[in-house]
Amino acid sequence: MPVRAAARRLRESRRRAADRRFGARLLGAAAVAGLAAVPFALLLVLVEGRWQPLRSVDSGAARSLHQTAVDHPGWTATLRFLSGWVWDPVTLRVAVAAVTLWLLYRRAWRLAAWSAVTAVAGGLIGLFTKVVVERARPSLEDPVARAPGFSFPSGHAMTATTSFAILLLVLLPLVPRGRRPICWSVAVVSVLGVGFTRIALGVHWFSDVLGGWLLGLAVVALTTWAFEAWRADSGRGRTGVWEGLEPELTEPRPEPQSPGTAEAADLGADAGGVRHHPTAGTGKNSDGRV
């Protein structure tokens, strides 16, 4: 029994240490992404301001797509609906918040923390970068849409990247393997579609959208690295992106129990590792019969 208790305390100590490192890595990853956002944004703005090929791409895409939007009102209405409702940042953030609350209900504490930190860090980094760069939005004749605030990076593109990544990496374990390519296709098409609608509506330059995609991917990559490091520390092993971040989500207990819960569960075990049944020693079966 002393050996068993010592082993249990060692496991609990390692688990607590892994949890502490996980929290520190999550915060550290968000901080690194935030520090990287400003020079990355400034670099892109510098390139956009002085590198003529990129300026030509920006202006050319804006003019051609805007003219198409002006000439086809029905097409423009569809773009507005997709951008303002289906792929709107508020819609995507509500979906991520609902998934995070469900994870808390399932007691997948660390995955819920990853989801929340990724979404919040992405939003704050995007907002901070906009304020620092202060890039003006496209100014077009006969605009078909207007948007407030600064232009770089595209908040819609960045939110779509982080939100669909969260939804995919959390929910993939619940999807049959044969249908996972469909989920990936929907996510990729949606992220690309968000960028297209923002350029076509004339509220963002192409480089704004590209910056939003890249910064969103950076945030997801950094926080995912922190989560995978926790899995390695806790002895669960790393997973591939096709499996989702936590394949154990399909199990009744997707994450290791807290030390207190594990200790209480072990109270029913004897020195030989056999758990005592509530009816043990009474001469009755579990249904009350002798």
Side-chain angles (χ1 to χ4, degrees), residues 95-229:
V96 170
V99 168
T100 303
L101 290 175
W102 175 74
L103 291 173
L104 292 174
Y105 172 76
R106 289 292 319 279
R107 291 183 170 82
W109 313 114
R110 299 162 190 84
L111 192 58
W114 172 83
S115 172
V117 169
T118 302
V120 173
L124 293 178
I125 290 169
L127 179 61
F128 180 69
T129 307
K130 281 178 179 285
V131 172
V132 171
V133 176
E134 294 185 340
R135 187 185 191 188
R137 292 180 182 272
S139 179
L140 304 170
E141 294 183 6
D142 301 322
V144 298
R146 297 183 184 276
F150 297 115
S151 187
F152 186 91
S154 167
H156 277 68
M158 188 167 182
T159 301
T161 302
T162 56
S163 297
F164 278 104
I166 290 170
L167 296 175
L168 264 180
L169 295 178
V170 168
L171 299 178
L172 273 179
L174 308 179
V175 179
R177 287 181 179 273
R179 297 182 181 178
R180 290 178 186 176
I182 299 176
C183 297
W184 278 97
S185 299
V186 170
V188 171
V189 169
S190 296
V191 171
L192 295 177
V194 168
F196 177 81
T197 61
R198 303 309 285 170
I199 301 171
L201 291 173
V203 294
H204 276 296
W205 303 107
F206 168 76
S207 53
D208 297 338
V209 171
L210 180 60
W213 286 338
L214 293 176
L215 284 179
L217 285 174
V219 172
V220 172
L222 286 167
T223 57
T224 300
W225 167 80
F227 189 86
E228 290 288 349

Side-chain angles (χ1 to χ4, degrees), residues 13-25:
S13 175
R14 289 176 176 173
R15 188 172 299 158
R16 291 193 197 98
D19 287 346
R20 285 193 296 269
R21 288 192 293 270
F22 170 58
R25 283 166 175 155

